[in-house]
């Protein structure tokens, strides 16, 4: 059974289990789940055995392993053996000689390198959990990085034939980013040894990514810029030129929204999006909608628009407030994606898993953002 067949069968079993669960057939759903776990174990065992057979098929003894890429056999099998070794080590399970070799080939002074398949899954889930990461300008470069973002862009000029041309006074804004650690520590009993590799990997990635993605999203919006990323909230000192204030006891009006849109420079309009909480959308903006008179708020499936501008929902934005701006003018660097470190706590017979990401970000141009403010007094 190849990987595609395995994934198709696994997804089908999960879908069947969900249908049974939705129908209230808990026991039958549990049996389907058990079939998934057995399938995982079979596939993992087959992957390791395939790698072992490929190694034995060589006429000459394999050369010493210096890196994972030097392993004999199909690259997919090499990665499969390493992945099994990586997660068995995290679970505290004993490794076979082949797995020990694979694991040591991926180790460095900083520890074992996270498997490629897992790293890709982490990035995918990170962006799913923190949608803002898909909207901003994001790099994944190790170490410190400096962005050059277009600042002032002067208009073209009419040229008199044969006259000297003076260069436009266009500017670039440089944003230097370092990196701040974002961590999540979880501690679970030693029973993780009983989980299949796939089940353990999925559980661990979900547990770590969820919390780290939430923190990164919070920094993109509310980060202070002091020992952490600088958020959109700190893009400006909000005043009459870049924000619209609604009285504490007042309600949002269509005129407020129109004024806010008018404050955003035309150069940022093409990529502009609203960012607000779901509660703000439904309690402040939706009441402005009158289908017989206007189309201030429109909807396409689960996507909402305010005067045609896409709305991004994020609960970390203060209720009754919203931002409008070109999110591409927020620059960030994920210097290290979520990596995993493990330790065993003998006092509690439990395993500790630490997820670590290194992230920094900042608004490159404050003028690219305007804000709807709810007065507090």
């Amino acid at each position: 059974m190849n990987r595609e067949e395995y994934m198709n069968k696994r997804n089908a079993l999960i879908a069947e289990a969900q249908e049974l669960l939705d129908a209230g057939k808990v026991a039958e759903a549990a049996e389907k789940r058990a079939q998934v776990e057995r399938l995982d174990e079979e596939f993992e065992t087959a992957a390791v055995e395939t790698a072992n057979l490929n190694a034995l098929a060589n006429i000459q003894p394999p050369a010493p392993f210096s890196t994972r890429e030097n392993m004999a056999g199909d690259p997919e099998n090499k990665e499969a053996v390493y992945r099994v070794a990586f997660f068995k080590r995290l679970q505290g399970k004993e490794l076979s000689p082949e797995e020990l070799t694979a694991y040591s080939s991926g180790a460095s002074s900083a520890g074992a390198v996270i498997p490629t398949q897992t790293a890709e899954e982490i990035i995918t889930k990170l962006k799913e959990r923190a949608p803002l990461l898909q909207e901003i300008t994001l790099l994944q470069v190790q170490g410190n990085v400096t962005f050059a973002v277009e600042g002032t862009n002067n208009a073209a000029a009419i040229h008199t034939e044969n006259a000297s041309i003076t260069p436009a006074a266009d500017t670039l804004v440089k944003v230097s980013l370092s990196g701040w650690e974002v961590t999540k520590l979880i501690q679970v009993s030693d029973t993780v040894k009983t989980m299949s590799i796939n089940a353990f990997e999925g559980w661990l990635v979900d547990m770590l990514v969820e919390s780290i993605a939430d923190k990164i999203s919070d920094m993109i919006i509310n980060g202070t810029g002091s020992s952490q990323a600088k958020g959109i909230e700190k893009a400006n000192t909000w005043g009459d030129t870049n924000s619209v204030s609604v009285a504490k006891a007042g309600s949002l009006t269509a005129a407020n929204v129109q004024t806010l849109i008018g404050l955003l420079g035309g150069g940022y309009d093409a990529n502009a999006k609203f960012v607000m909480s779901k509660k703000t959308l439904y309690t402040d903006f939706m009441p402005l909608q009158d289908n017989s008179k206007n189309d201030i708020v429109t909807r396409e499936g689960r996507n909402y628009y305010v005067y045609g501008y896409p709305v991004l929902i994020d609960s970390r934005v203060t209720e009754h407030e919203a931002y409008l701006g070109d999110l591409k003018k927020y620059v960030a660097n994920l210097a290290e994606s979520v990596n995993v470190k493990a330790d065993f706590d003998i006092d509690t017979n439990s395993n500790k898993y630490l997820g670590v990401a290194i992230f920094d970000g900042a608004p490159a141009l404050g003028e690219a953002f305007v804000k709807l403010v709810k007065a507090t007094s």
Side-chain angles (χ1 to χ4, degrees):
M1 179 170 55
N2 60 34
R3 180 170 182 79
E4 183 178 357
E5 293 171 338
Y6 157 66
M7 290 302 299
N8 289 338
K9 187 172 182 180
R10 190 176 193 275
N11 291 335
L13 286 171
I14 291 174
E16 291 171 11
Q18 186 61 54
E19 289 178 3
L20 291 168
L21 198 60
D22 292 341
K25 300 178 180 179
V26 178
E28 295 177 39
E31 174 55 31
K32 289 290 181 184
R33 175 183 55 76
Q35 290 181 35
V36 173
E37 293 177 348
R38 288 196 293 271
L39 181 67
D40 289 344
E41 291 285 3
E42 291 171 4
F43 184 76
E44 290 156 12
T45 301
V48 173
E49 286 304 316
T50 299
N52 292 342
L53 286 173
N54 284 343
L56 291 173
N58 291 321
I59 298 175
Q60 297 296 327
F65 300 121
S66 57
T67 65
R68 201 158 69 236
E69 287 71 27
N70 287 335
M71 292 178 65
D74 189 332
E76 288 189 7
N77 291 328
K78 291 180 280 184
E79 180 66 24
V81 176
Y82 178 75
R83 173 175 165 269
V84 171
F86 180 87
F87 283 103
K88 284 179 70 174
R89 195 61 174 266
L90 288 183
Q91 289 177 287
K93 293 180 177 178
E94 185 176 349
L95 273 60
S96 69
E98 293 80 10
E99 291 164 354
L100 280 170
T101 302
Y103 185 83
S104 62
S105 71
S108 66
S109 59
V113 178
I114 196 165
T116 302
Q117 176 185 328
T118 309
E120 292 172 351
E121 181 70 10
I122 285 174
I123 289 295
T124 298
K125 290 193 174 185
L126 198 62
K127 291 184 176 180
E128 288 174 355
R129 181 73 186 185
L132 285 175
L133 287 175
Q134 301 184 59
E135 303 292 337
I136 63 176
T137 300
L138 179 68
L139 289 184
Q140 291 177 246
V141 179
Q142 290 187 354
N144 298 345
V145 63
T146 297
F147 280 85
V149 180
E150 184 179 72
T152 302
N153 188 355
N154 292 276
I158 297 175
H159 176 238
T160 301
E161 189 173 355
N162 297 324
S164 297
I165 299 175
T166 303
D170 294 349
T171 62
L172 289 177
V173 177
K174 292 186 178 180
V175 181
S176 296
L177 301 175
S178 53
W180 305 105
E181 289 188 354
V182 184
T183 62
K184 173 65 176 181
L185 178 66
I186 57 178
Q187 186 169 356
V188 293
S189 69
D190 203 32
T191 55
V192 292
K193 287 184 178 180
T194 65
M195 299 173 71
S196 70
I197 298 297
N198 279 355
F200 175 68
E201 177 190 30
W203 168 81
L204 186 61
V205 168
D206 286 344
M207 289 289 289
L208 296 177
V209 166
E210 181 175 335
S211 295
I212 290 176
D214 287 349
K215 187 58 182 177
I216 288 176
S217 290
D218 184 57
M219 286 195 293
I220 292 174
I221 295 172
N222 300 309
T224 65
S226 176
S227 298
Q228 61 178 266
K230 182 179 179 180
I232 297 171
E233 171 60 25
K234 299 297 183 181
N236 292 305
T237 299
W238 305 109
D240 294 340
T241 61
N242 55 26
S243 68
V244 172
S245 183
V246 178
K248 181 179 181 180
S251 298
L252 181 68
T253 66
N256 292 147
V257 182
Q258 293 160 5
T259 300
L260 183 70
I261 292 173
L263 292 177
L264 186 67
Y268 306 112
D269 204 69
N271 293 322
K273 295 183 180 182
F274 276 97
V275 185
M276 67 183 75
S277 70
K278 183 178 180 181
K279 185 172 182 179
T280 299
L281 174 64
Y282 276 87
T283 61
D284 293 87
F285 283 82
M286 291 298 283
L288 302 178
Q289 178 70 22
D290 184 341
N291 293 328
S292 65
K293 297 180 180 179
N294 62 51
D295 57 353
I296 295 175
V297 182
T298 55
R299 176 179 175 180
E300 295 179 8
R302 298 183 66 179
N303 298 317
Y304 289 88
Y305 301 83
V306 173
Y307 281 116
Y309 295 91
V311 176
L312 301 177
I313 300 298
D314 198 299
S315 61
R316 285 156 282 266
V317 179
T318 302
E319 290 180 11
H320 309 300
E321 298 191 342
Y323 302 97
L324 173 65
D326 181 354
L327 291 168
K328 291 300 180 185
K329 299 304 182 184
Y330 185 97
V331 295
N333 185 37
L334 192 61
E336 180 181 312
S337 180
V338 180
N339 211 335
V340 185
K341 300 177 181 179
D343 196 12
F344 181 73
D345 188 344
I346 194 170
D347 292 338
T348 58
N349 191 38
S350 62
N351 290 283
K352 291 181 177 180
Y353 300 104
L354 178 67
V356 182
I358 298 178
F359 177 83
D360 195 14
L365 294 168
E367 64 187 35
F369 301 93
V370 294
K371 182 183 180 184
L372 177 68
V373 179
K374 183 70 171 179
T376 57
S377 59

